[in-house]
Amino acid sequence: MTEKTTAGLVADIFGTMEARVIPDGVDGITANYGYIITGPNGGKWTVCVADGRVKVMEDLVKPDVTTTCAEDDWIAITLGKLDGMTAFSSGKLKVTGDMGLLVAAAGFFEKYQPQPAEVTVADIFATMESRVNPDGVKGITANCGYRITGEGGGEWTVCVAYGKVKVLEGIANPDVTTTCADDDWIAITLGKLDGITAFSSGKLKVEGNLDILSTAARFFKKYCPPSAGPEEAPEELIALKQVLSIPQTFATGPVMGHFLNALKEKKILANQCPECQRLQIPPREVCAECVVRCKEFVQIGPEGIISTPDVAYYASPDPLTGETRETPYCSCHFLLDGCKGHETMWHELKASDIPRAERGVRVRPVWNDTLTGSVTDIKYFEIIDD
Amino acid sequence: MARKVGICAVAQTTFQRNKWDQRFQNMALEVLESLREQTGVDFSEKKGIGMSISCSDDVFDARTISDNGLTDLLGGHFGCEEKIAQEGIQALYYGLAAIRSGHVDVVLLLGHCKESQGQSRNMVTHLSFDPFYTRPVGLDYCVSAGLQAQAYGERSGITDEHLARIVVRAREKAAENPLLPDTERVTMEEVLASKYLADPIRELHAYPVSDGSVGMILAAEERVHEFTDTPVWITGVGNSMDRFFLGDRNLGANVALKAAAKRAYHRAGITDPKSAFDLVELSDQYAYQLPMWMEGLGLCNEAGGAKWVEEQGWDRDQVNLSGGMLGGNPLLLGGFVRAAEAALQLKGEAGTRQADKAKTALAHGVMGPAGQFHSVVTLKRD
């Protein structure tokens, strides 16, 4: 049944030529163009151009120029998927006789529009093996039976195992069997009818293991009806890839800057609100609650306890390099010595300590060898073993 | 009749080429503390600031939801907080609406921008264009302004000479403004010899890169006197958005500005704008814009911009006594600073740049490529 996609197409291309003549294109041309189209659906035709008219005959009749070409390539050229010149230079298209005549031939006819062929249930099943979605069938072993009723119906079994699919005619040891009318099955396949809706409305009946069917939607790539020539295929739209980046220089200011400088001396600073006495880590210009300037710096820690640990399994990629840090990593709130309540410092816990990451466990910072005045001067906090 | 809204206090930092020793929070704090000192206002639930409106930009600040960097300062935690990502003069409009609606009595406006932070201001404005068409070709606000300058120049007869005179005068005024300490006076020759950025725009025709912060306290009529003896009333506001694609626009015709002005004048009951204002503060990001915006606002004759420059109309009409944007304010705050400067003049607090007996003023802000979005605010003192 796969032949349906091209069967008759070559004959149709030649058969519609007379109706597609462009009068201006053939004006003043007198020549016989012979075509030998090879392949199971090929054949021989002669396109006779004279007096502004075209007559297409089967077989070769006194051709002035003869083009030999495989049927698939001829279809591709006609549908505009393959450039005639490219086909010629790559040897896909061979010409004997007066080659100059062929130059004019490109303007003889209106574009060929393939006739929409009918979608059949048989074709849907026949194309399944070629439409397998490897990710969708991975790890699945099941036989899905299909009983499609109606004139165009039939019975098939889709056997999935070891990442491969085999479609058999008839029902063979099914784990689940779906019964559905031919029209509905076609509508479901073309995405015009939702499978779940069909099931709940009783159009689609299922016996056996329903769970398998829920994975079946991903077994195959989208079914393309045989009629879908390039005109019907959705236009392939362009997605632009751009990296947005503006180099920045961030001033740190006297508050954040002081905090960062202290890290170079392995000191962790908070600043204190003159009104509510709350500590802020990192220090900021004003108290987040009292909106007053916090001038007093207080050294805290460096040891403390885990206040809230969390394990992150996904790290945001660096927008410029696409690289991500190692995961999992432990994002952690620490309550350093000298702090209370919510006066926590956010940083990272050593990855090997993740299994022991619990509230109240004592930790200390591990500093990098080179200190630059960055929050990453603290490599991470680690659990203090007694 | 909705209640009147008064500007109670204005505060600004200096605007400098690179405040390398301050992050934006430091600049904004300076403004906040000045406003609180001037008015005694606090963040208390009943009588304090009922709404905080920040003005910042995600790309300039290099962080999404850029107001988050300022919520400490805005008293925004658990309060009513809003952000303007448009040009900052819009904050006056938001604040006005909040007070007139009766939702709140007292509003804090606080804007900041560090244009020096990114490698190039043009890289930021380049990002305002769409990635499909206008960005790949290479538009930014300066290049767009070049197109507009061509279109306007052709209509108005503005020459390189006119543009140079505008810059010389702007730098002269800016040099007298203590908030613009980095200003250098320039001569006609220097302007005429400065290199082209986007013909006819020369380097000295463009507003300088600067860092700074500006803020205001607005209050409802019945509460204004708790905070000031010299309120400045917002009598009219209007804005108008032109089309985004430059090709859709009549670039030289001031279409959006005329619409914005018409709305503001209507609300303020102004029928003859030429005689309505004692002083004017315009957002002249590029030299050609000063006469162009004057025309658009109906403050000089249509196509009369060149003549207005030749007559040094800026002295008669008291335009940009602050130095204007050509003196150096960030793109994001241009109109906000214009409103602040106009309010200071009406309050009699403009110091060295104080105008005589000014009672009414107009402040203008603009955002987007080639004057896409205009805002007009009219002000009056008692």
Side-chain angles (χ1 to χ4, degrees):
Chain A
M1 290 304 295
T2 41
E3 282 173 21
K4 195 172 173 66
T5 51
T6 53
L9 205 53
V10 175
D12 195 47
I13 289 169
F14 285 98
T16 56
M17 277 182 178
E18 291 176 17
R20 291 189 284 120
V21 169
I22 300 172
D24 285 349
V26 295
D27 191 36
I29 309 259
T30 305
N32 286 357
Y33 292 79
Y35 293 91
I36 302 168
I37 309 300
T38 60
N41 299 299
K44 293 175 183 173
W45 286 269
T46 305
V47 178
C48 311
V49 184
D51 304 328
R53 288 178 163 189
V54 171
K55 181 88 193 152
V56 179
M57 291 184 279
E58 292 208 21
D59 219 337
L60 291 183
V61 186
K62 295 180 189 166
D64 298 300
V65 57
T66 303
T67 302
T68 305
C69 180
E71 59 177 310
D72 286 349
D73 292 333
W74 181 245
I75 291 166
I77 290 169
T78 306
L79 296 178
K81 288 178 182 172
L82 175 63
D83 176 54
M85 276 313 289
T86 312
F88 176 70
S89 31
S90 65
K92 287 183 172 175
L93 187 142
K94 293 192 175 63
V95 181
T96 54
D98 183 356
M99 233 163 70
L101 289 169
L102 279 188
V103 178
F108 287 175
F109 306 110
E110 302 278 5
K111 200 165 191 305
Y112 173 71
Q113 304 281 355
Q115 291 298 310
E118 213 181 323
V119 174
T120 63
V121 174
D123 191 49
I124 292 169
F125 283 97
T127 55
M128 276 182 178
E129 291 176 15
S130 63
R131 291 189 286 119
V132 169
N133 170 25
D135 287 344
V137 296
K138 199 172 169 184
I140 291 175
T141 304
N143 287 353
C144 303
Y146 293 91
R147 195 168 280 127
I148 310 298
T149 61
E151 257 180 54
E155 293 184 347
W156 288 267
T157 304
V158 176
C159 310
V160 184
Y162 306 112
K164 292 192 171 161
V165 171
K166 187 81 198 155
V167 179
L168 308 174
E169 289 204 25
I171 303 283
N173 300 324
D175 298 303
V176 57
T177 304
T178 304
T179 305
C180 179
D182 51 0
D183 286 351
D184 291 333
W185 182 245
I186 289 169
I188 290 169
T189 305
L190 296 178
K192 291 176 181 164
L193 174 62
D194 177 55
I196 304 287
T197 313
F199 176 72
S200 32
S201 66
K203 285 182 173 177
L204 187 142
K205 293 193 176 64
V206 180
E207 298 161 54
N209 187 343
L210 209 69
D211 289 344
I212 294 173
L213 270 199
S214 64
T215 63
R218 293 192 61 237
F219 285 177
F220 305 108
K221 291 173 189 157
K222 198 171 181 315
Y223 172 75
C224 294
S227 56
E231 285 73 28
E232 289 185 25
E235 184 182 354
E236 199 174 311
L237 299 176
I238 292 165
L240 299 180
K241 288 198 173 168
Q242 294 179 6
V243 175
L244 304 185
S245 127
I246 300 174
Q248 304 274 335
T249 306
F250 294 108
T252 57
V255 179
M256 189 61 78
H258 188 55
F259 167 73
L260 294 174
N261 271 330
L263 292 174
K264 286 199 249 181
E265 295 163 28
K266 299 192 181 179
K267 286 180 188 165
I268 303 172
L269 298 183
N271 68 352
Q272 189 160 30
C273 174
E275 288 188 9
C276 71
Q277 310 300 320
R278 207 176 52 91
L279 297 180
Q280 296 195 133
I281 313 125
R284 276 150 289 150
E285 283 71 13
V286 298
C287 171
E289 288 179 17
C290 307
V291 202
V292 293
R293 199 182 274 260
C294 302
K295 292 176 185 163
E296 206 65 45
F297 285 90
V298 180
Q299 190 175 339
I300 54 171
E303 293 183 4
I305 59 167
I306 293 176
S307 162
T308 308
D310 182 55
V311 180
Y313 293 93
Y314 174 82
S316 298
D318 181 294
L320 293 182
T321 63
E323 284 170 12
T324 51
R325 56 153 301 151
E326 264 179 58
T327 52
Y329 65 97
C330 189
S331 154
C332 216
H333 273 140
F334 301 108
L335 191 65
L336 300 191
D337 295 345
C339 301
K340 60 185 187 308
H342 291 287
E343 297 163 0
T344 55
M345 172 172 184
W346 181 81
H347 213 284
E348 178 184 355
L349 183 72
K350 187 160 85 177
S352 58
D353 283 344
I354 290 177
R356 297 189 289 155
E358 279 178 34
R359 286 186 176 81
V361 172
R362 282 202 68 79
V363 293
R364 66 178 161 230
V366 176
W367 300 85
N368 282 317
D369 294 338
T370 312
L371 302 173
T372 61
S374 153
V375 71
T376 52
D377 282 352
I378 298 174
K379 203 189 269 182
Y380 40 64
F381 282 78
E382 67 177 2
I383 291 175
I384 302 172
D385 290 306
D386 298 327
Chain B
M1 184 70 185
R3 54 191 184 165
K4 286 205 294 184
V5 175
I7 299 171
C8 305
V10 170
Q12 303 174 76
T13 61
T14 57
F15 289 90
Q16 293 178 260
R17 302 291 174 265
N18 184 355
K19 297 201 167 198
W20 59 270
D21 57 340
Q22 293 186 27
R23 58 182 199 140
F24 61 71
Q25 290 88 342
N26 301 108
M27 306 188 311
L29 179 57
E30 204 179 308
V31 169
L32 176 72
E33 286 182 335
S34 169
L35 291 172
R36 290 180 69 172
E37 196 184 309
Q38 289 179 56
T39 58
V41 74
D42 60 22
F43 289 96
S44 63
E45 183 100 26
K46 275 191 176 161
K47 300 290 272 181
I49 290 163
M51 182 188 205
S52 302
I53 305 175
S54 63
C55 169
S56 61
D57 180 88
D58 289 6
V59 185
F60 272 120
D61 282 1
R63 52 164 85 190
T64 38
I65 337 264
S66 56
D67 46 333
N68 260 329
L70 215 65
T71 54
D72 283 358
L73 282 153
L74 288 166
H77 300 148
F78 314 115
C80 174
E81 192 264 351
E82 288 288 336
K83 170 191 161 182
I84 303 288
Q86 267 280 13
E87 202 279 310
I89 201 169
Q90 284 302 104
L92 270 81
Y93 205 156
Y94 273 41
L96 179 87
I99 294 171
R100 282 176 77 98
S101 69
H103 287 191
V104 293
D105 290 342
V106 184
V107 175
L108 164 70
L109 315 181
L110 190 51
H112 71 263
C113 190
K114 292 202 80 176
E115 283 195 342
S116 71
Q117 182 173 287
Q119 184 181 320
S120 157
R121 176 175 66 194
N122 288 352
M123 289 169 90
V124 174
T125 62
H126 176 63
L127 283 186
S128 74
F129 290 92
D130 75 276
F132 310 101
Y133 187 82
T134 43
R135 206 186 287 165
V137 179
L139 275 176
D140 57 35
Y141 284 9
C142 182
V143 174
S144 312
L147 282 169
Q148 184 169 52
Q150 290 287 353
Y152 172 65
E154 199 173 336
R155 283 167 58 102
S156 65
I158 289 278
T159 64
D160 205 19
E161 194 94 1
H162 290 111
L163 296 176
R165 292 174 73 166
I166 291 165
V167 175
V168 170
R169 187 269 178 173
R171 290 292 184 98
E172 190 59 44
K173 286 289 158 194
E176 293 166 11
N177 182 346
L179 295 177
L180 304 171
D182 294 345
T183 305
E184 289 174 352
R185 287 181 171 85
V186 291
T187 64
M188 286 291 288
E189 293 70 31
E190 283 169 322
V191 181
L192 289 167
S194 97
K195 69 177 183 191
Y196 278 121
L197 297 177
D199 177 24
I201 298 174
R202 296 176 183 276
E203 200 168 27
L204 286 173
H205 294 175
Y207 68 115
V209 167
S210 65
D211 298 344
S213 177
V214 55
M216 285 183 185
I217 298 291
L218 306 184
E221 187 175 10
E222 62 269 28
R223 299 219 25 216
V224 152
H225 290 285
E226 293 174 32
F227 307 111
T228 183
D229 298 328
T230 53
V232 173
W233 305 106
I234 301 173
T235 56
V237 289
N239 64 32
S240 175
M241 175 70 92
D242 205 333
R243 282 152 291 197
F244 173 65
F245 281 95
L246 299 179
D248 291 347
R249 281 201 238 163
N250 187 344
L251 278 178
N254 270 322
V255 182
L257 178 54
K258 284 176 182 170
K262 193 174 163 193
R263 284 166 199 156
Y265 298 159
H266 174 74
R267 286 168 185 148
I270 291 167
T271 49
D272 178 22
K274 280 203 184 81
S275 65
F277 307 106
D278 297 329
L279 72 96
V280 176
E281 282 283 332
L282 297 188
S283 291
D284 47 353
Q285 297 162 351
Y286 300 94
Y288 77 88
Q289 294 181 345
L290 189 74
M292 181 168 175
W293 301 159
M294 284 298 289
E295 289 184 33
L297 288 162
L299 300 180
C300 80
N301 291 333
E302 184 82 11
K307 186 156 176 277
W308 182 78
V309 173
E310 286 155 21
E311 291 171 349
Q312 300 183 34
W314 43 65
D315 291 332
R316 180 188 61 229
D317 297 333
Q318 307 211 85
V319 178
N320 286 3
L321 300 180
S322 62
M325 266 187 89
L326 287 175
N329 302 123
L331 174 70
L332 202 63
L333 305 179
F336 197 169
V337 174
R338 303 281 72 71
E341 282 290 329
L344 285 175
Q345 290 283 0
L346 300 190
K347 286 168 80 65
E349 295 171 10
T352 50
R353 54 203 186 284
Q354 182 65 49
D356 287 339
K357 298 174 197 146
K359 251 194 107 171
T360 57
L362 178 149
H364 159 261
V366 61
M367 192 53 150
Q372 183 190 7
F373 179 79
H374 288 273
S375 296
V376 175
V377 174
T378 60
L379 302 170
K380 191 176 97 175
R381 70 167 162 89
D382 288 327

